[in-house]
Amino acid sequence: EICKAHTRLYALETVCLRISWVWTPDHYRDYHKLVGTKGPYWARYLWAYVDYRDTMQGVEKALLAEGIKHEVLNIVARRTWTEIPSLKLIREEFPNLKDIRNPEQFEEEPCRTLLDYSRASKVMGYEPKHDWRDNVNQ
């Protein structure tokens, strides 16, 4: 809200990045220890993460973006950090949630992230490139 106010009052261009849990090589190395717990702890974060390289991509694109007045953008990976399908996670951890919007969006990628980064893609060309599955020793 502070950035939005400064944009409005002083014509200052602002981009606020909502950066998910940033994973580094240490996170990938310790993956099995990190995600060994289930339940409400991880649910409150919606199983979201972002690779450190994609974080830097988001920051760079925000710094170089032109024509933005004020934006709030999610920087997150394409998928959750678990192999459990996203719809199953939602149904198990949020049983009182009655309406899941656009469940068909999970057909092509069942573990699709639950955080929407489409605005970051549209506004500044952000596209996550790195996936935990390519970095964790199975």
Side-chain angles (χ1 to χ4, degrees), residues 24-138:
T24 65
D26 289 342
H27 290 90
Y28 296 120
R29 186 191 66 236
D30 296 336
Y31 172 81
H32 297 290
K33 285 189 252 178
L34 279 173
V35 301
T37 58
K38 280 184 63 177
Y41 179 80
W42 293 122
R44 69 179 147 187
Y45 300 108
L46 299 175
W47 307 275
Y49 82 103
V50 63
D51 184 275
Y52 68 100
R53 295 162 289 188
D54 288 330
T55 302
M56 295 313 302
Q57 177 207 159
V59 170
E60 179 180 34
K61 288 189 180 285
L63 290 170
L64 298 174
E66 294 182 16
I68 291 178
K69 290 187 182 198
H70 172 73
E71 289 288 344
V72 179
L73 306 169
N74 289 328
I75 301 299
V76 65
R78 239 178 245 291
R79 300 179 184 137
T80 63
W81 51 254
T82 177
E83 291 185 320
I84 301 169
S86 298
L87 287 176
K88 182 177 181 183
L89 289 169
I90 293 168
R91 290 184 177 119
E92 286 179 0
E93 296 298 332
F94 303 101
N96 296 329
L97 185 64
K98 302 295 180 214
D99 182 31
I100 298 173
R101 288 190 212 148
N102 307 320
E104 64 278 356
Q105 68 184 321
F106 298 99
E107 289 172 4
E108 187 176 321
E109 175 47 67
C111 296
R112 177 189 172 123
T113 185
L114 298 171
L115 298 178
D116 184 7
Y117 65 87
S118 63
R119 184 87 183 137
S121 294
K122 181 179 178 184
V123 169
M124 60 181 199
Y126 171 76
E127 288 298 330
K129 294 177 177 34
H130 302 279
D131 188 275
W132 70 268
R133 294 177 221 192
D134 299 329
N135 294 286
V136 170
N137 294 329
Q138 304 289 338

